[in-house]
Amino acid sequence: MTTVKNIYDYINSIAPFDTQEEWDNSGHLVGDFRKEVKKCVMALDATRDVCRFACDVGADLLLTHHPVIFGGITDVKSDSVVYTLANSGVAAVSAHTNFDLADGGINDSLAEILGLSNPRHIDGTLIVAGELENEMSIDDLAELVSDRLDVAGIRYTDTDKLIKTVAVGGGACEEYTELASQYADVLITGDMKYHKMLDASESGFTVISAGHYETEYAAFMMLKNKLEKLFTDVEFISANQQNPIKSI
């Protein structure tokens, strides 16, 4: 019999929860730690639609990347995700920055999706660097990223230099831009503000802003295969969450 705690303990073994950033709220957040898990729904975010889906399919556990409870909660009303889950007896575990940092976590998986070799973590940060098989132009790399991550409206800064070493940081990692420039020819992340991209361009460093959802969803869902092999008595179900941010 697999319990919420068994799945929590496995994630803790590969991505220790005590390594999460101090502002984060990863861990077991809703429900009974001892609850048996026969169905586990996985998603990037605990949106209302995802939580309703978990309840509708009779899930025992919702496993997300972004925390179900993030920031202060002043109430738990009937239309909230916490109420929806608790009222239906669905436990929730979230693995956020601890999984970003982990070997085999979000950023290693992102590097794998992009076909980077020799992935290595940079100075204990969320950033992973690796090499492309062949040098390529920034335009060709942006097209590769767009294809592999299914990105519409990708943004990037220009350069005449060929790209070989790539740093990746899923989600919002613009604060590591200067550090990444010491180890790579380009930084690929999810969210990057205009002025941060302008500063990078002015300094001669190339950056790609490929979308928060796009740089994390597929990478987080790679965890599903690992869980299925280990917990064979549990049905792991993708919530098939759609990116709420539309672009053309």
Side-chain angles (χ1 to χ4, degrees), residues 48 100 126 183 191 195:
R48 288 188 176 91
D100 289 330
L126 303 180
Y183 293 87
D191 299 326
H195 287 289

Side-chain angles (χ1 to χ4, degrees), residues 8 12 15-29 65 67 69-70 94-102 126:
Y8 172 95
N12 192 49
F17 286 101
D18 63 6
T19 64
Q20 66 184 283
E21 298 291 309
E22 63 179 21
W23 48 264
D24 196 9
N25 192 40
S26 293
H28 171 227
L29 303 179
H65 181 48
I69 301 171
F70 206 14
S94 301
H96 189 205
T97 54
N98 58 308
F99 196 59
D100 289 330
L101 287 164
L126 303 180

Side-chain angles (χ1 to χ4, degrees), residues 27-42:
H28 171 227
L29 303 179
V30 178
D32 187 350
F33 220 26
R34 301 162 297 176
K35 181 180 178 67
E36 180 179 4
V37 179
K38 294 181 179 179
K39 286 186 180 181
C40 174
V41 167
M42 295 181 63

Side-chain angles (χ1 to χ4, degrees), residues 20-234:
Q20 66 184 283
E21 298 291 309
E22 63 179 21
W23 48 264
D24 196 9
N25 192 40
S26 293
H28 171 227
L29 303 179
V30 178
D32 187 350
F33 220 26
R34 301 162 297 176
K35 181 180 178 67
E36 180 179 4
V37 179
K38 294 181 179 179
K39 286 186 180 181
C40 174
V41 167
M42 295 181 63
L44 189 68
D45 302 288
T47 63
R48 288 188 176 91
D49 285 344
V50 164
C51 292
R52 282 193 290 264
F53 174 80
C55 296
D56 288 345
V57 300
D60 305 293
L61 173 65
L62 174 62
L63 176 59
T64 65
H65 181 48
H66 296 134
V68 173
I69 301 171
F70 206 14
I73 287 184
T74 57
D75 54 55
V76 180
K77 295 179 179 176
S78 60
D79 62 345
S80 71
V81 296
V82 174
Y83 180 94
T84 298
L85 294 173
N87 192 52
S88 298
V90 182
V93 171
S94 301
H96 189 205
T97 54
N98 58 308
F99 196 59
D100 289 330
L101 287 164
D103 290 335
I106 286 286
N107 292 314
D108 282 332
S109 296
L110 179 56
E112 181 179 343
I113 291 169
L114 295 176
L116 304 182
S117 61
N118 190 30
R120 56 213 177 264
H121 291 251
I122 297 178
D123 290 350
T125 69
L126 303 180
I127 300 296
V128 168
E131 277 76 46
L132 294 165
E133 182 177 357
N134 299 299
E135 290 183 330
M136 61 176 60
S137 69
I138 185 59
D139 292 335
D140 287 342
L141 177 58
E143 184 174 349
L144 181 148
V145 172
S146 180
D147 289 344
R148 295 283 178 88
L149 301 181
D150 192 22
V151 182
I154 194 168
R155 300 184 301 136
Y156 60 99
T157 60
D158 202 9
T159 182
D160 293 328
K161 300 175 184 176
L162 291 177
I163 306 296
K164 178 64 174 178
T165 304
V166 177
V168 298
C173 288
E174 67 173 21
E175 69 266 34
Y176 301 115
T177 303
E178 184 175 349
L179 178 64
S181 70
Q182 301 172 33
Y183 293 87
D185 302 315
V186 62
L187 170 65
I188 300 170
T189 188
D191 299 326
M192 186 168 285
K193 298 181 184 70
Y194 169 78
H195 287 289
K196 195 69 174 182
M197 296 184 75
L198 180 62
D199 289 344
S201 179
E202 289 289 290
S203 70
F205 183 56
T206 308
V207 293
I208 296 177
S209 182
H212 199 121
Y213 175 92
E214 292 87 346
T215 55
E216 292 192 323
Y217 178 76
F220 181 68
M221 294 309 296
M222 289 175 73
L223 175 61
K224 182 172 178 284
N225 294 331
K226 299 177 183 178
L227 292 168
E228 286 173 334
K229 291 177 181 178
L230 187 62
F231 300 103
T232 57
D233 59 332
V234 178

